[in-house]
Each structure stands twice: as structure tokens, then as C-alpha cells.
């Protein structure tokens, strides 16, 4: 309960119901209650916004705690400190007397300290002949002990909320980035669909995102973007499956024709014409099943982030860095030089490295990396392998995993980086809509 300090026309402080409640709580705490003052102070600092405290008021609380000699504060011990304003100002880094009074009032309002005023308003302690304190007037630190558990619970709640906010923003960033990349891929690969409408839908959702957004709003937008992401992903995956099915049917048809002796000369004639046209058999057979545009390095690294740790200084900026990292990963996975050489020969150097990166990303689910790579190499020789489905599957698993992460950590209130659609993408859309 937050309270405020009021004064009478003669400058005397009045007591509010909130202050009375704080005093009653401190008086009722168990005698065996003990708290580490600096640990409790850390909890208070974490939960300062919930308590209504400020950074400057906490600096003064830190100074007050330093005047108590013991680190462990006990309900049975003396919990009143009586520093002068001059000493407090010195330990609070030289604030003005007016600022000191104002923030001492804030500490009282928040229930972090209790005033124990003497009849003349001064702070002092009266001692016995034996040197023991009989009566002290100043600031009572008993709320630090009485409310220690409450402060800890508040700090944990703040920590959890910050963590959940960070996770929500990370998920938003992933969704925005992947949606833009998938729209770009759909347009450039000629996948059937109204990509102009999809892009407009995406921009309409993002337009509702203010510069500073609450966690609830971010999660609501993530839910909408996830549905859009799933819709785009299904279209791309269906197109890929259809292309692969057409390619397999074409290969089966040729196999049946080749089993007829009468058709051998016709096949050889066609083969010679294809070769003379400048394309290999493998490339021609896969013309419909494999995308003609290579996978962008950024998408591969999004799907296979573990590859970054194999890069020099933990970075992969160019394909040459990626290929160098693949050589290291090949050794780490125990892939034999012969299996690696066969993969590069069948797939090409870059495609083999991408396949190896996908295997490395799922290394905990694959018993024999070398055997798996050989299996992919055999498929590549038959024209039945593409790295696109592997990368898309990894991206999908990454999104599905992010959907279930529910907690939140310390982050700034600034939103994640905005992902803008490239100029080439917009130009492509304009041409298609004409």
C-alpha cells in the first residue's frame, strides 16, 4: 500500500493509515526473523517500480543500511539508525538537503523504513552506563526484515515478467524475418499465389506495432503472424512436394521406356541432344524438382545457427567462411574424407556444406552422421535430393519451438529491429500486379 507524507501548517509530519499498517507489520514480525540486508536490498532494487521507489531514494536507503554495522538484521536486535543529515548526504554522494528530505519521505511512503522521531525531532541514541542502547530515535529498518519475503516475491515476479517480454520480442523478430524471407522466396521461385495480398496482410499486422509495445500486444501480434507464417509455409511446402512428385513421375516414366529395347536408340539420341545443349543429365532431370535460385546464406544460418560456433571468431559472413566451417564440422561429426568427397562431387561444394550443416544442427537426433550423408549423396546422384526441404523443415521446427516458450527476462523497452521488405521484392510485386 502506497501512502504519502503530509504536514500541518506548523511543519509537523502527520501519520497516514499506510504508515500505521507498516508499523503494525514490523511490530508483529516473529522474534526469530533474520534477513541479510544486502540481499533484501537487491530484491528491493529489482522491484522498485512496483514499490514506487526511485533510484535516488534507493541510494539513500543504501546509505542508511550502511550505518547498521551488522549484515544480518535480526528482529531481536537494534534496527534503528540515527545518522545526521550531513553524514547521510556524504554517503549518498553529495545530494542537497532538500533532495534528501524528499527521498526520505519516499522511503517512508513505500514502507521501506519507519520514522522514530524524538520529542524535539532530532536523531540520537540514549545509552546506559554499561554502554548499551536504551532508546534510539531515527530511522527504523525493521521493514527490511519484516517484508523480506514479500520483497523477494516481488523481485521474482519482475524478473519473470522481463524474461517473458524478452522471449515474446525474440519470437516476434523471428516471425517477421522468416515471413519476409518466405514471401521473397515464393515470388522469386514463381510459386502460385497472391503474394501481393500476403504482403499487405503482413504489413497490416506490423502497422499495429507501436514503438513501445506491451508484452500482451506483442504476444497478440505474434499469434497473428504465426498463423500467416503457417499459411505461407504450407503453400511453399506443398509446391515443393508437388515439384518433387512430378520429377519422380517423370523419372519413373523414363525408366519404363528404357526397359523397352526398341526405345534404346531413341533415349540415346535424346541424351546426346541434351548433352549437346550444354546441360548434364542430373541437372536436366531436376529442372522441375529443385529451385533454380540458391539458398541465401542468411536463411541457411537461421536454420542452422550451430554452424556459427564453427566459424572463425564465431562469425560466418560469406560462403567461404561457411565452407571453411563445414570442413571443421565434418571432422567434429566424424564424417570420413571419402564420404565428404563423394557428397561434394554429387551435390556440389555449397550444397554439400548446407546438407552437412543441417546434419550438424540435428546431431543429437542422428546416430551416424557419415551414414546419413552417404544416404543423401545417393539421392543426389539420382536427382532426388534438394537442401531446400531440409532447411525449411529446420526453420519450421525452430518456429514451433519458439511458440511454446513462455517466460521473460531483463530487456529494454525499445522494440526489436524493424524488418523492411527489400526494394527488389516490391518491384517484383508491382510488375506482377500490373
Amino acid at each position: 500500500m502506497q501512502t504519502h507524507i503530509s504536514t500541518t501548517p506548523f511543519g509537523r509530519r502527520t501519520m497516514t493509515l499506510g504508515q500505521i499498517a507498516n508499523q503494525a507489520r514490523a511490530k508483529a514480525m516473529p522474534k526469530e526473523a533474520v534477513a541479510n540486508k544486502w540481499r533484501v536490498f537487491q530484491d528491493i532494487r529489482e522491484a522498485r517500480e512496483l514499490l514506487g521507489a526511485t533510484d535516488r531514494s534507493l541510494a539513500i536507503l543504501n546509505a542508511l543500511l550502511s550505518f547498521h554495522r551488522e549484515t544480518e538484521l535480526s528482529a531481536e536486535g537494534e534496527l534503528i539508525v540515527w545518522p545526521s543529515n550531513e553524514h547521510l548526504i556524504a554517503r549518498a554522494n553529495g545530494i542537497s538537503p532538500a533532495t534528501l528530505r524528499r527521498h526520505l519521505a519516499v522511503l517512508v511512503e513505500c514502507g521501506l523504513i519507519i520514522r522514530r522521531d524524538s520529542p524535539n525531532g532530532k536523531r540520537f541514541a540514549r545509552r546506559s552506563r554499561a554502554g548499551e542502547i536504551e532508546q534510539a530515535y531515527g530511522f527504523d529498518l525493521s521493514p527490511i526484515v519484516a517484508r523480506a519475503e514479500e520483497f523477494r516475491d516481488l523481485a521474482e515476479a519482475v524478473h519473470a515478467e522481463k524474461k517473458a517480454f524478452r522471449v515474446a520480442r525474440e519470437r516476434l523478430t523471428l516471425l517477421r524475418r522468416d515471413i519476409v524471407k518466405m514471401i521473397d522466396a515464393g515470388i522469386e521461385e514463381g510459386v502460385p499465389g497472391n503474394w501481393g495480398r500476403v504482403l499487405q496482410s503482413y504489413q497490416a499486422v506490423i502497422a499495429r506495432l507501436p514503438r513501445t509495445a506491451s508484452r500482451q500486444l506483442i504476444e497478440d501480434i505474434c499469434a497473428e503472424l504465426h498463423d500467416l507464417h503457417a499459411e505461407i509455409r504450407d503453400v511453399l511446402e506443398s509446391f515443393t512436394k508437388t515439384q518433387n512428385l512430378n520429377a519422380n513421375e517423370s523419372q519413373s516414366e523414363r525408366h519404363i521406356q528404357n526397359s523397352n529395347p526398341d526405345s534404346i536408340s531413341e533415349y540415346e539420341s535424346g541424351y546426346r541432344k541434351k548433352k549437346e545443349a550444354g546441360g548434364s543429365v542430373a541437372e536436366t532431370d531436376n529442372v522441375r524438382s529443385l529451385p533454380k535460385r540458391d539458398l541465401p546464406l542468411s536463411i541457411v544460418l537461421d536454420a542452422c545457427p550451430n554452424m556459427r560456433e564453427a566459424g572463425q571468431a564465431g562469425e560466418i559472413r560469406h560462403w567461404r567462411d561457411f565452407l571453411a566451417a563445414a570442413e571443421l564440422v565434418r571432422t567434429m561429426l566424424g564424417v570420413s574424407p571419402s564420404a565428404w568427397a563423394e557428397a561434394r562431387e554429387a551435390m556440389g561444394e555449397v550444397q554439400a556444406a548446407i546438407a552437412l550443416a543441417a546434419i550438424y544442427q540435428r546431431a543429437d537426433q542422428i546416430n551416424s552422421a557419415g551414414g546419413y550423408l552417404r544416404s543423401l549423396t545417393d539421392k543426389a546422384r539420382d536427382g532426388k535430393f534438394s537442401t531446400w526441404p531440409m532447411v525449411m523443415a529446420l526453420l519450421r521446427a525452430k518456429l514451433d519451438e519458439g511458440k511454446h516458450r513462455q517466460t521473460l527476462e531483463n530487456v529494454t523497452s525499445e522494440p526489436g529491429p524493424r524488418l523492411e521488405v527489400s526494394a527488389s521484392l516490391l518491384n517484383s510485386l508491382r510488375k506482377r500486379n500490373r
Side-chain angles (χ1 to χ4, degrees), residues 181-211:
K181 289 178 179 178
M182 286 195 298
I183 293 174
D184 192 3
I187 292 173
E188 294 197 21
E189 294 302 326
V191 179
N194 190 345
W195 294 108
R197 180 192 64 79
V198 174
L199 181 58
Q200 289 175 356
S201 299
Y202 166 74
Q203 291 176 333
V205 175
I206 294 302
R208 293 170 35 221
L209 188 66
R211 183 173 179 80

Side-chain angles (χ1 to χ4, degrees), residues 156-333:
E156 290 176 354
V158 170
H159 182 74
E161 179 63 23
K162 289 179 178 180
K163 188 176 181 181
F165 187 52
R166 188 199 69 175
V167 169
R169 285 187 51 203
E170 287 177 351
R171 185 180 173 216
L172 175 65
T173 299
L174 288 174
L175 284 167
R176 294 177 66 178
R177 181 179 62 194
D178 292 343
I179 287 174
V180 169
K181 289 178 179 178
M182 286 195 298
I183 293 174
D184 192 3
I187 292 173
E188 294 197 21
E189 294 302 326
V191 179
N194 190 345
W195 294 108
R197 180 192 64 79
V198 174
L199 181 58
Q200 289 175 356
S201 299
Y202 166 74
Q203 291 176 333
V205 175
I206 294 302
R208 293 170 35 221
L209 188 66
R211 183 173 179 80
T212 302
S214 65
R215 176 173 65 91
Q216 185 59 51
L217 178 58
I218 291 177
E219 290 180 346
D220 291 343
I221 290 179
C222 281
E224 295 185 40
L225 290 180
H226 185 272
D227 292 341
L228 181 61
H229 180 280
E231 181 181 342
I232 300 172
R233 181 190 61 203
D234 291 343
V235 170
L236 296 179
E237 289 182 352
S238 297
F239 180 75
T240 302
K241 291 177 182 177
T242 301
Q243 297 299 84
N244 288 334
L245 181 60
N246 291 339
N248 292 337
E249 290 177 353
S250 177
Q251 291 170 4
S252 298
E253 184 177 332
R254 285 193 297 272
H255 178 72
I256 294 173
Q257 292 174 353
N258 294 341
S259 64
N260 185 350
D262 295 335
S263 66
I264 292 178
S265 60
E266 181 182 350
Y267 175 77
E268 289 177 347
S269 175
Y271 175 80
R272 285 192 297 270
K273 289 180 181 179
K274 288 177 182 178
K275 204 165 186 180
E276 290 171 0
S280 67
V281 176
E283 180 181 353
T284 307
D285 288 347
N286 288 322
V287 69
R288 288 185 297 175
S289 62
L290 300 179
K292 286 302 177 186
R293 184 172 65 93
D294 292 334
L295 276 164
L297 178 60
S298 59
I299 291 182
V300 175
L301 291 177
D302 286 342
C304 309
N306 291 350
M307 281 293 287
R308 294 183 186 276
E309 64 189 38
Q312 186 175 6
E315 292 185 350
I316 296 178
R317 297 182 179 179
H318 309 284
W319 279 114
R320 61 176 178 271
D321 300 333
F322 188 83
L323 296 176
E327 291 289 343
L328 176 60
V329 166
R330 193 269 304 173
T331 304
M332 295 169 62
L333 291 174

Side-chain angles (χ1 to χ4, degrees), residues 8-225:
T8 66
F10 300 99
R12 294 174 297 176
R13 285 184 292 270
T14 61
M15 185 172 293
T16 66
L17 293 178
Q19 294 173 27
I20 294 174
N22 287 330
Q23 292 183 13
R25 186 185 311 173
K27 189 175 182 180
M29 67 177 170
K31 292 184 179 180
E32 63 274 12
V34 178
N36 183 300
K37 64 182 181 181
W38 299 123
R39 191 172 301 145
V40 177
F41 179 76
Q42 286 296 110
D43 293 337
I44 292 172
R45 187 164 64 179
E46 285 287 327
R48 61 186 179 277
E49 293 184 5
L50 296 180
L51 294 169
T54 62
D55 291 338
R56 183 59 64 88
S57 63
L58 291 186
I60 296 172
L61 177 61
N62 182 80
L64 285 172
L65 291 173
S66 69
F67 282 101
H68 198 289
R69 295 182 179 179
E70 303 296 330
T71 300
E72 298 289 333
L73 302 183
S74 172
E76 293 185 338
E78 178 58 55
L79 296 176
I80 298 178
V81 293
W82 55 93
S84 65
N85 284 352
E86 290 75 12
H87 287 154
L88 264 178
I89 289 172
R91 292 201 185 181
N93 300 322
I95 60 177
S96 67
T99 301
L100 174 65
R101 289 192 297 270
R102 184 168 64 255
H103 289 287
L104 283 172
V106 171
L107 293 176
V108 175
E109 292 172 16
C110 298
L112 299 176
I113 61 174
I114 299 172
R115 290 184 183 272
R116 302 294 185 187
D117 291 336
S118 65
N120 61 4
K122 296 185 179 297
R123 303 173 207 137
F124 64 91
R126 184 177 293 111
R127 300 179 182 271
S128 64
R129 292 184 178 180
E132 297 180 354
I133 298 175
E134 292 182 338
Q135 184 68 47
Y137 299 100
F139 299 107
D140 191 345
L141 303 178
S142 56
I144 301 297
V145 181
R147 302 179 63 187
E149 186 174 348
E150 175 191 350
F151 295 146
R152 183 175 63 253
D153 292 342
L154 290 175
E156 290 176 354
V158 170
H159 182 74
E161 179 63 23
K162 289 179 178 180
K163 188 176 181 181
F165 187 52
R166 188 199 69 175
V167 169
R169 285 187 51 203
E170 287 177 351
R171 185 180 173 216
L172 175 65
T173 299
L174 288 174
L175 284 167
R176 294 177 66 178
R177 181 179 62 194
D178 292 343
I179 287 174
V180 169
K181 289 178 179 178
M182 286 195 298
I183 293 174
D184 192 3
I187 292 173
E188 294 197 21
E189 294 302 326
V191 179
N194 190 345
W195 294 108
R197 180 192 64 79
V198 174
L199 181 58
Q200 289 175 356
S201 299
Y202 166 74
Q203 291 176 333
V205 175
I206 294 302
R208 293 170 35 221
L209 188 66
R211 183 173 179 80
T212 302
S214 65
R215 176 173 65 91
Q216 185 59 51
L217 178 58
I218 291 177
E219 290 180 346
D220 291 343
I221 290 179
C222 281
E224 295 185 40
L225 290 180

Side-chain angles (χ1 to χ4, degrees), residues 341-413:
E342 291 174 6
R344 287 186 296 174
E345 180 182 356
M347 304 179 196
E349 193 173 26
V350 173
Q351 296 302 312
I354 295 174
L356 191 67
I359 294 174
Y360 183 54
Q361 188 65 29
R362 297 175 52 224
D364 58 336
Q365 305 172 29
I366 298 175
N367 294 329
S368 174
Y372 189 39
L373 183 62
R374 287 187 184 274
S375 174
L376 298 181
T377 301
D378 292 340
K379 291 182 180 181
R381 288 195 184 102
D382 295 336
K384 298 178 181 179
F385 173 72
S386 168
T387 54
W388 276 81
M390 294 184 72
V391 171
M392 291 295 291
L394 288 172
L395 286 173
R396 179 177 183 175
K398 188 176 179 182
L399 255 294
D400 290 342
E401 179 183 357
K403 181 180 178 181
H404 297 290
R405 296 168 60 190
Q406 299 291 328
T407 51
L408 185 149
E409 210 165 41
N410 201 2
V411 291
T412 63
S413 59

